[in-house]
Amino acid sequence: MLYYVDLAFNGLIFGCMYALMAVGLTLVYGLLRILHIAHAAVYAFGAYVAVIVANGTGSIAAGFAAAMVAAACLGMAIYRLLYQPLLGYPPYVAMIASIGLLVFMEDGFRIAFGEQGLTFAHNPYPTQLHEFAGLTVNTVQVAIIAAAVVCLTLLALFTTRTRLGIAWRATVSDAPIATSFGVDAVKVRYLNFAIGSALAALAGALIGLLNNFVEPTMGFVVSYKALAIIVLGGLGNLQGTLIASLVLGLVESYGTIFVGRYLDRDAIAFLFLIAVLIVRPKGLGGIKTA
Amino acid sequence: MSAYATSVLAIIGINVMLAVSLNMITGFCGQFSLGHAAFYGAGAYAAAFAAGAGAPAPLALLAGVIIAGLLGIVVGFASLRLRDDFLAVTTIGVSFLFVGFVRKQPWLGAEMGMSKIPSSGLGSEGNALLILACALLTIALSLYVNRSWMGFGFRAVGDDEDTARTVGISVGAYKLVAFTLGTAIAGLAGGLYAYFTQFIVPDTFGFIVSVTLMAMVVIGGTGSTIGVAIAAVALTLLPEVVRFTNDYRLLIFGGLLVLVMRFAPGGLAGLGRAVLVKARGK
């Protein structure tokens, strides 16, 4: 019994990590109708900045702060330099460019920082164990869940209670009408890329801390899974995306145990995606936006 | 011919077959597929398995074509329900699913792949010539299809599904035919590859290959058979030409994708057309 609870907990942790990744991705889709695959490069970038700054300054907190700020800048630069000029073309043009950027950045990390990856010089957290209702969890796992809950709650408050947040949601659901009400759609896009990228960097840095390992290809499979999640959630739909993140985390966690002999972890995730899409072609969340 | 030249020629032929067949699905019919390598792999594994079981080469190749084509019909059915980005992500899923499945099958060699695939009896130069002949036939077929009534139907579906349906074009049938035709050719390419190398591993048919094929289509200019064939040859030769920078191969590939998309979103065919228009304008 406890074993299954353990699996559920593991699934939950992955679900939280996916949620941090997927929120930015689904909002980019909602705003621009672009599948922003290079989001995974931002995730890996965040992990690299975190580990390098943390090792340089000796403070993991400083590493995380630097990662989020640097990733926000990177996200805005990607929008300005790559996506904005391509908005008038069919969406696959931006998507191929995005895949190109992911491949380019991944290989760039490998060349710049080596194939073996980097580790945190001083990282006691993954081995600090806590007993919690019979479960043994480490500090980083708790931090991942806390980070997801805090960030997503703040995001929810921001998008429902502040003027800027409401303008953001309005632009996601109907850009021309939002613009006619005086919302600056371009500023909203920058805001969107900044916040989404900062959250992706946070997820990357946390996973780097959890495994105490940051490597060039860490974003590769996560990127496509995040795509699967936003499709499952019904592209552009925030609630659907959050639900899909947690569900996929759990499906993978249990799936690896029950069908792991026939399929690997990634294949299970995509099999689940295909099965859901055949029943519900618009995903779990339907076609509502934001 | 040196062994090196033979193998480069064979790989060029296979990539031309794959890119041109993907162009039928994506360029002609507008169905964005990022899972083409899965059908290529299905063909290779089916042919290798049949050959291992003692089937003669033509029969084994046929098995590859049929298995890949059948899988193509299945994914084609998915395209009837899913549109645009939903279909793109589903086909990404197909790519990962195929590799994830093969990796765990002991009867397909699992991680180690299938080795000692029986020879086709043609020798490696004969194999390469067969592959080139098939590549030329694929280009000819693609040009023919594009000019036929079927090509017209494909383009109508690709341009605007709903309008095509309104004027009485059977959208579903055209999509299924496009998928079946394109994936069957990919299956043939897979079978030929299996006979040529006599050794296949799952990673040869992974997602990055699907992306490379899509890059050939987009860089060549979606819908243009000749543009796509040229891009396939160029992108296959590129790593050979820049061999001195072999360590930076992926970096260059990624950078090139970004730059081409950023500055020439219409691909080679788009550039060619622009040059033609300019020349006529003078």
Side-chain angles (χ1 to χ4, degrees):
Chain A
M1 181 58 211
L2 194 59
Y3 177 59
Y4 293 102
V5 178
D6 229 17
L7 281 179
F9 184 72
N10 260 321
L12 196 66
I13 288 168
F14 271 92
C16 286
M17 190 269 285
Y18 291 150
L20 286 174
M21 273 290 284
V23 161
L25 208 56
T26 201
L27 287 171
V28 170
Y29 188 86
L31 273 181
L32 305 176
R33 298 280 177 270
I34 289 174
L35 290 173
H36 174 35
I37 292 177
H39 202 53
V42 177
Y43 162 90
F45 174 79
Y48 270 102
V49 173
V51 73
I52 290 166
V53 173
N55 288 351
T57 61
S59 155
I60 287 184
F64 272 60
M68 290 177 72
V69 173
C73 297
L74 176 69
M76 290 191 285
I78 291 175
Y79 165 69
R80 177 64 192 86
L81 300 175
L82 192 60
Y83 292 149
Q84 197 191 37
L86 295 179
L87 286 178
Y89 293 96
Y92 65 78
V93 171
M95 180 172 161
I96 296 285
S98 193
I99 294 177
L101 184 62
L102 173 63
V103 172
F104 179 81
M105 284 183 63
E106 259 184 5
D107 215 40
F109 293 140
R110 181 182 66 83
I111 291 164
F113 304 112
E115 205 136 358
Q116 294 80 25
L118 302 174
T119 53
F120 285 91
H122 177 69
N123 178 16
Y125 303 109
T127 49
Q128 283 176 358
L129 300 178
H130 310 277
E131 283 288 329
F132 178 71
L135 277 175
T136 309
V137 298
N138 69 45
T139 308
V140 184
Q141 290 174 321
V142 177
I144 290 178
I145 294 180
V149 171
V150 170
C151 289
L152 298 175
T153 311
L154 284 179
L155 189 68
L157 288 176
F158 175 67
T159 51
T160 49
R161 301 293 161 84
T162 67
R163 219 183 143 70
L164 190 58
I166 291 168
W168 183 6
R169 281 193 304 145
T171 316
V172 170
S173 58
D174 194 329
I177 292 191
T179 312
S180 74
F181 275 81
V183 175
D184 185 341
V186 176
K187 269 192 196 141
V188 167
R189 289 176 192 160
Y190 280 117
L191 175 77
N192 188 130
F193 272 92
I195 293 181
S197 304
L199 291 180
L202 177 63
L206 282 168
I207 289 298
L209 200 60
L210 178 67
N211 301 331
N212 199 16
F213 184 50
V214 173
E215 47 142 0
T217 56
M218 66 183 283
F220 189 68
V221 167
V222 183
S223 64
Y224 304 106
K225 265 192 226 157
L227 281 186
I229 287 166
I230 67 170
V231 167
L232 271 179
L235 290 165
N237 180 330
L238 266 185
Q239 287 145 0
T241 302
L242 295 184
I243 295 169
S245 306
L246 296 178
V247 170
L248 193 75
L250 291 175
V251 165
E252 273 187 12
S253 187
Y254 284 108
T256 336
I257 302 303
F258 294 117
V259 287
R261 278 180 54 210
Y262 312 106
L263 289 172
D264 67 10
R265 193 181 174 100
D266 311 328
I268 292 168
F270 282 105
L271 183 65
F272 177 67
L273 165 82
I274 293 170
V276 171
L277 283 185
I278 285 171
V279 184
R280 296 194 55 139
K282 298 275 183 182
L284 294 170
I287 47 167
K288 285 181 298 173
T289 45
Chain B
M1 234 185 324
S2 73
Y4 171 70
T6 318
S7 79
V8 170
L9 272 183
I11 298 301
I12 286 178
I14 282 175
N15 281 342
V16 167
M17 286 177 79
L18 291 171
V20 170
S21 62
L22 178 60
N23 184 47
M24 289 184 193
I25 301 172
T26 300
F28 292 176
C29 203
Q31 304 305 301
F32 204 80
S33 169
L34 277 169
H36 212 53
F39 306 107
Y40 172 41
Y45 270 96
F49 190 75
L59 218 57
L61 288 175
L62 188 66
V65 171
I66 291 174
I67 295 290
L70 283 178
L71 274 181
I73 294 179
V74 173
V75 176
F77 271 111
S79 78
L80 300 186
R81 271 172 79 72
L82 302 166
R83 284 201 188 177
D84 304 335
D85 297 317
F86 286 93
L87 181 64
V89 176
T90 305
T91 52
I92 292 178
V94 170
S95 221
F96 278 100
L97 199 53
F98 175 76
V99 176
F101 172 77
V102 171
R103 271 209 181 122
K104 296 273 180 176
Q105 305 307 312
W107 55 282
L108 292 176
E111 294 278 1
M112 306 301 294
M114 294 177 83
S115 54
K116 302 201 184 91
I117 297 166
S119 142
S120 61
L122 292 172
S124 77
E125 284 185 20
N127 269 329
L129 286 178
L130 178 65
I131 290 169
L132 285 183
C134 287
L136 290 177
L137 277 178
T138 308
I139 293 176
L141 176 72
S142 171
L143 288 171
Y144 171 73
V145 164
N146 194 30
R147 294 178 57 169
S148 69
W149 172 247
M150 192 159 78
F152 175 74
F154 284 162
R155 276 197 304 281
V157 173
D159 282 347
D160 189 335
E161 240 176 75
D162 297 317
T163 311
R165 195 172 282 121
T166 316
V167 297
I169 290 173
S170 165
V171 171
Y174 278 102
K175 281 187 187 175
L176 282 181
V177 170
F179 265 102
T180 314
L181 190 63
T183 55
I185 295 173
L188 178 61
L192 291 169
Y193 175 80
Y195 270 115
F196 183 76
T197 58
Q198 301 191 307
F199 171 57
I200 51 178
V201 287
D203 282 340
T204 319
F205 312 106
F207 179 70
I208 199 79
V209 179
S210 292
V211 170
T212 311
L213 294 173
M214 185 50 83
M216 289 170 184
V217 170
V218 175
I219 288 178
T222 21
S224 156
T225 304
I226 300 298
V228 169
I230 292 173
V233 175
L235 279 186
T236 315
L237 283 178
L238 181 77
E240 308 298 327
V241 177
V242 294
R243 196 163 269 280
F244 61 93
T245 56
N246 209 7
D247 197 37
Y248 302 105
R249 201 173 55 82
L250 277 176
L251 191 77
I252 292 172
F253 173 67
L256 197 72
L257 270 189
V258 175
L259 289 178
V260 171
M261 287 301 97
R262 173 71 179 77
F263 295 106
L268 291 178
L271 279 182
R273 241 169 263 139
V275 170
L276 271 184
V277 167
K278 238 184 193 169
R280 280 204 195 117
K282 271 179 192 169

